[in-house]
Amino acid sequence: MPECRSSGSTKEEALKILHRLLTERLKKVEIVSLTVDIPQTENPLMKWAGAFKNDPHFDEMLEDIAELRRDRNAQIAEYYDRLDEAEATNKIEVEETAK
């Protein structure tokens, strides 16, 4: 409650005044409960759920996706290995130059 402010010659005095202000204010408070109905929306991807359940090629397609993912992961791992090697090589060169 930003409008509840007090001051005093000491911290304790200011807190006592603030406590009195808040107590007086809260005597006038009425607690109200409000229920709000939130509309449920369907997940837009649900229209595709089960679309391929009778597709004879579905398992094959999943395996193709998994194989592609494995290939991409291997490429990324190789890329980071090359970066690590280059960084290590640069550190060795810098150390040799500093000698």
Side-chain angles (χ1 to χ4, degrees), residues 9-25:
S9 57
T10 65
K11 179 180 177 180
E12 289 75 24
E13 183 182 350
L15 288 173
K16 279 183 182 181
I17 295 169
L18 184 58
H19 185 271
R20 188 169 13 95
L21 288 170
L22 287 170
T23 302
E24 289 300 316
R25 178 152 187 176

Side-chain angles (χ1 to χ4, degrees), residues 44-61:
L45 298 177
M46 287 305 293
K47 66 182 176 184
W48 299 104
F52 299 102
K53 71 178 181 181
N54 295 323
D55 187 334
H57 303 290
F58 186 69
D59 290 337
E60 184 180 328
M61 180 182 68

Side-chain angles (χ1 to χ4, degrees), residues 26-38:
L26 291 174
K27 285 180 183 178
K28 302 171 187 172
V29 169
E30 178 184 355
I31 297 176
V32 178
S33 177
L34 178 64
T35 302
V36 177
D37 291 329
I38 300 172

